[in-house]
Amino acid sequence: MRNEMMHRPLIEGRTLNYLRSGQGFFEGTLGQIEREATAAGVPVIPAETAHFMQTLFYGIQPEQVLEVGTAIGFSAAVMLAAMGPTGHVTTIDRFDVMREHAQTNFKRLGITNQVTLMAGEAAEILPTLTGPYDVIFLDGAKAKYLDFLPDCLRLLQPHGYLLIDDIFQGGTIFNSPKTIKHRNKAIHRKLNQLLDHVFRAPNLQASLLPLGDGLLMITPR
């Protein structure tokens, strides 16, 4: 389950250390879940991404959020901690073991009534949703991001935000395709196609943030 790309820092080491420790730590059960995941090598959003998302959420106060890629529920919990009491996260994951961990963590945090956990493939579930969502967070199968984009934009509020995680792939996204391992070629090709599309689309405003393994932030124009 270890995400090797998260151990290829994109920025200078001292800066990365400050981003991951200088902004403070989560307290209580949420902090305990983060520490447990780190100790076990379970990939969760890193501290700098979590702090950015909470700052964004405190500012815009989204009511409805869609997440693709629940994992152990940490990112959903981070988002809900910065949302109001009526905030709700709908989150999708295809892996039974991840959903079981997530359900356990949602119960530990007392937020089960604010989460809808959907089981299955995002490619099959997304077309069935009606939204709209104030924020959509994609943190699932990287090679599918471009395929998910039309439904995500359809489901997004006119002034909403689409956040797409792990875009840089440890910086290898910019390498020649000839240097990419066979098992990663589809991810490399699709992520490059995604970047080309969103930065050329006249109806989208996008920005790349060097948080974690790269966060792509998109909003409709």
Side-chain angles (χ1 to χ4, degrees), residues 157-192:
Q157 288 275 22
H159 299 290
Y161 292 98
L162 171 59
L163 305 174
I164 306 180
D165 204 22
D166 298 330
I167 287 294
F168 291 147
Q169 292 295 286
T172 61
I173 190 70
F174 306 113
N175 292 353
S176 166
K178 296 179 181 179
T179 68
I180 304 300
K181 295 178 181 179
H182 179 75
R183 68 174 184 271
N184 295 327
K185 284 188 179 296
I187 295 175
H188 183 270
R189 182 179 70 255
K190 286 286 191 173
L191 287 180
N192 272 284

Side-chain angles (χ1 to χ4, degrees), residues 140-154:
K142 317 310 172 193
K144 297 291 185 179
Y145 283 167
L146 184 61
D147 298 331
F148 295 160
L149 185 63
D151 270 316
C152 288
L153 294 176
R154 173 184 64 83

